[in-house]
Amino acid sequence: MWLFHSWIRPAAGLALLAVSGCAYTGDSDPASRKFSWFDYLGGGDIRAACAPGVPDRYRFVYNAIYVEQVRTYDLTTDPATGDGTLRARVIGPARLSAFSIGSTADLTAPWRGATATASLDADAMATLESSVADSGVFDPAPAGLRLDSDKFYWTVVSCRDGVFHFNAFQWPSDRFDALRFPEKLFAGDATGVEVHPPRQADALQIHGSNDAE
């Protein structure tokens, strides 16, 4: 089974994950993010660390037309307390107002996106995890699903009870409409960036030409 994801051109695929790009190591600067994006999306780091006894981890990515908005949510859990930590990032067009020449790090500020971290208590975690299960995240992913960067979709990777899971949900579809976890994630999102809801858009509207290339 292959799940295809195009980054710039619809013809590109998630199969590139196996032959190109870099492993995601937790770097958040825009350059590292660009070259490790497919590994981040596929949860390579989560898969590598997933084993019985390790704390549960989740990664949710909402692609709302890649060049317009991508929202990522990394959720880590504390098995001792049942609490969780949700790290949200919203990536969109460069925010030139964030540009500064004060330091080298500031040069990449317009492309870093907005970030926020929230703490979830055990009750909130239980509610979120229940919504994830109810959304069918742990069911087998549909064979042959093609994920286009010019569309709206969710990908979810997780290590739950020592077992790695990957699934994807593209709009429009009944599977996408049945998702229950997005509203929980958005409610805990403190980035202050408005969510882009799904809409129909063609290459001309998105890229200004009839060719997505």
Side-chain angles (χ1 to χ4, degrees):
M1 178 203 67
W2 290 99
L3 290 170
F4 291 98
H5 170 84
S6 64
W7 185 7
I8 300 299
R9 296 180 293 181
L14 190 59
L16 291 176
L17 177 64
V19 295
S20 67
C22 302
Y24 175 72
T25 59
D27 298 323
S28 61
D29 67 275
S32 297
R33 184 173 66 226
K34 176 180 179 179
F35 290 107
S36 63
W37 177 249
F38 288 111
D39 195 51
Y40 176 84
L41 192 69
D45 56 319
I46 294 178
R47 180 193 293 270
C50 190
V54 303
D56 290 352
R57 289 180 62 187
Y58 300 85
R59 175 172 297 150
F60 309 85
V61 177
Y62 176 54
N63 186 91
I65 302 180
Y66 184 87
V67 297
E68 296 182 359
Q69 184 180 95
V70 176
R71 309 180 80 93
T72 70
Y73 300 90
D74 278 275
L75 178 65
T76 56
T77 63
D78 184 342
T81 64
D83 297 343
T85 301
L86 182 66
R87 296 177 176 83
R89 180 182 297 273
V90 182
I91 307 163
R95 298 180 301 124
L96 296 182
S97 61
F99 179 77
S100 169
I101 58 175
S103 69
T104 302
D106 289 333
L107 297 178
T108 64
W111 295 271
R112 286 184 177 274
T115 61
T117 300
S119 296
L120 305 181
D121 62 24
D123 289 340
M125 275 296 302
T127 299
L128 176 56
E129 290 184 303
S130 177
S131 72
V132 170
D134 291 343
S135 297
V137 166
F138 306 121
D139 296 339
L145 176 63
R146 182 185 179 92
L147 299 178
D148 189 333
S149 63
D150 283 350
K151 304 296 183 182
F152 292 79
Y153 63 79
W154 281 95
T155 62
V156 187
V157 295
S158 64
C159 177
R160 179 174 178 256
D161 296 331
V163 178
F164 179 82
H165 300 272
F166 177 92
N167 218 324
F169 307 81
Q170 185 160 256
W171 182 87
S173 68
D174 291 341
R175 296 177 71 247
F176 187 100
D177 292 342
L179 296 178
R180 297 294 174 260
F181 63 81
E183 62 185 88
K184 308 300 182 184
L185 292 177
F186 295 153
D189 184 330
T191 60
V193 180
E194 184 177 358
V195 176
H196 288 193
R199 75 180 197 278
Q200 295 287 357
D202 58 26
L204 178 61
Q205 296 169 320
I206 298 169
H207 303 281
S209 72
N210 289 316
D211 188 346
E213 296 182 8

